[in-house]
Amino acid sequence: MASEPKQKIAVMTSGGDSPGMNGVVRAVVRMAIHMGCDAYCVYEGYEGLVQGGSYIKKTEWDDVRGYLGIGGTYIGTARCMAFYERPGRLTGAKNMILNGINALIICGGDGSLTGADKFRAEWPSLVEELVSTGQLTKEQVEPYKKLNIVGLVGSIDNDLSGTDATIGAYTALANICEAVDKIESTATSHSRAFVIEVMGRHCGWLALMAGVAIGADFIFIPEKPREDNWQQEMCDVVKKHRDWGKRKTIVIIAEGAMDRHGSKITPDMVKDLLADKKGLALDTRISSLGHLQRGGPAGAYDRMLATLQGVEAVKAVLDAAQAVKEGKPQPETCVITINENKITRQPLMAAVAATQQVAKAIEAQDFDKAMSLRDTEFAEMYSSFMMTTAMGLDTSIHVPANKKMRIGFINVGAPAGGMNAAVRAGVAYCRSRGHEPVGIYNGFAGFARHHGDKPEGAVRGFDWLEVDGWASRGGSEIGTNRELPEESGMELMAQLIKQYRFDALFLIGGFEAFHAVSQLRKARETYPELCIPMTLLPATISNNVPGTEYSLGSDTCLNELVNYCDKIKQSASATRRRVFVIETQGGRSGYVATLGGLGVGASAVYIPEEGITLDMLAADVRHLKEAFQKDKGRSRAGRLILVNEKASRVYDARLIANVFKEESHNRFESRDLIPGHLQQGGIPSAMDRCKAVRLAIMCIKELEKFGPKPFENPDKIKSDPTSASVIGIQGAQVTFTPMEELETRHTDWQNRRPKAAYWTDMKEVVDVLGGRPKYPEPE
Ligand code: ATP
């Protein structure tokens, strides 16, 4: 029987470039080849489709090597006027058919996806016209009666409805935060104000998130213009912050900022207000970040998103092809999206239509509608921003005196990026509501040994002026410690909680913090003083806390690791053929190694969940030898292997590197490297900072539900499983899971990790896209 012709899948990048587009191209090309298809790249967006010829090229596995670490798009992008018109699309259709392309994966913004949808809708009539005008024969077009298209959203604006993040948005946000962090130090030195203009004509996501991550004084976004007296409001907020003693003022303004009547608000207008000699008289400068925002290699998150969504796009294409083959209706054209942490497929046209509605609502000055059309995270972030900057200005959100609570804040375990941002946001929220936030310094060890009411004691209130500067600070300002409460004794813990009259505990930390909550919860039977609500916000680079798929600090860690690996890879390409075996942190969880591997395109990843065997190493040596053999005369870039610090009791990075060196028989060199604590990161990533704010506020809101003096009714607390909980992102949702449920059903206590790792499929993606042979090898 003749074998079926191979599916030919083409990938294209279109519209404005965004970091991560190269990751999409790599993932689509390699996944397509892995699935037995031929892969094509269409160069220069729709322009390439219309031009045809050398703009449409078959692409091989090795052609996309090294793509992950490169910014922009290697296959080019363009704005194509011809594609807006039917004749342009007709030529595009002809070129696709002439090249035998069955499916097209397009990564671009809403314009590109609108073009894609138009192309798809018109396709049958385009094919008919190609035949009726004699450009192609009936036989030629027969296999191409249906167009199989899948969209991916590559845009720094994060403006597509239906997805929480577009590919490139978090990198652009990181670029903004990096620039503003630098501007802040000069602003503080001179006690200046800075007005910072960021991209976003119809979408204020970058401005909003930057405002949250930085702890800006004021923001302007198109979807939510402030009231008519915005000039006065801004000056009041800035004056209040200056009165608190703040030496810097940062105002973020989106390109599309306007007032409620549709008139543009410009950086100059804001500057003039802040500098007005009769008003605040601040020495004010404008900084427009421009194209810096979209430049540079993609961050870890965008590499992950690009890769997983590229893989999903190929799967969607093949599912649609299969459906047609089986005589079923072709599934609706989809766009690949992400909701919280879940990659999903959504109808393309509905997502594009909803996105366009936002722009229309803004134009029509229907701002409530514009906000409601954005995703939930957007609205939550907006209210988080307002809560953390306008503290105390809006007394209507204060709780009544008899509802005020005294909430203890404690960090437990190793420091992780975002811990300080979480404390800051929690403190700000408490102040907004009129609660009393109290810091417990240096974890449970500090609590047990250095208590006392003296200012230098371990339990003390927060000085907002100090805390306000913590948004971008790494480490743990209130100090963290690995010690568990039982080490000092539960009796002492109960006595201290009573002594300090805590109504609730807000914990931020990793597996030790998780363990601590478990101990405190269990001890409630003996000590009724412990009958206060407690909630844990997971923060650990290892991301091994049960109840969540994301921990604060893990994104910072992955960014550090990916940057480190990029540099190492580059050094290897300048020298000889080399394999670097890099040891990653992560305890007994392979999350960091796996996601790091996804971000750098590792040839292999070794994790504790799978262990390491001699056969595995032998198979990988064979694979590497073959890979270097194929490289002859081509690029000599190095290859990376990531090994988790506890993947094996015997085979550590050094030993693996030595085994590889010995077994390579001079085909390649091998070195081991240990980035160690560098992975904990310096300045936390923008994502960790933003998520810290959102999740910390949600935690305090959760604690608020229990009200003051919960210990007066201990049975009620004991019988309520939600009174000790962990906040987490699980799939498409943010949830609070009762500690009792997590500790009894979902925790692998021996290995200090959740029983089920949600990222197992990602490990498979790393292996597939790294070209690693399936292990164990087939007989
Ligand atoms: P960005 O978000 O960076 O602006 P985008 O994809 O929205 O990216 P556009 O310039 O709007 O960028 O679109 C890119 C290309 O997609 C256009 O140059 C054009 O070729 C095609 N395109 C856009 N809109 C349409 C449309 N309505 N009909 C046909 N083609 C379109």
Side-chain angles (χ1 to χ4, degrees), residues 6 8 38-41 43 56-60 63:
K6 273 187 178 181
K8 293 185 177 181
D38 281 340
Y40 284 75
C41 285
Y43 287 72
I56 304 176
K57 269 193 223 151
K58 184 154 185 265
T59 308
E60 305 299 341
D63 294 336

Side-chain angles (χ1 to χ4, degrees), residues 14-16 46 78-80 83-84 89 108-112 114-115 118 155:
S14 172
Y46 289 119
R79 315 258 180 203
C80 170
F83 205 76
Y84 282 100
R89 296 194 287 275
D110 64 331
S112 306
T114 308
K118 210 176 234 179
S155 161

Side-chain angles (χ1 to χ4, degrees), residues 143 389 443 760:
T389 57
T760 311

Side-chain angles (χ1 to χ4, degrees), residues 430-452:
C430 285
R431 282 165 58 103
S432 283
R433 302 278 285 160
H435 298 304
E436 188 187 356
V438 179
I440 301 172
Y441 284 68
N442 300 318
F444 287 103
F447 195 28
R449 277 173 229 128
H450 306 286
H451 54 94

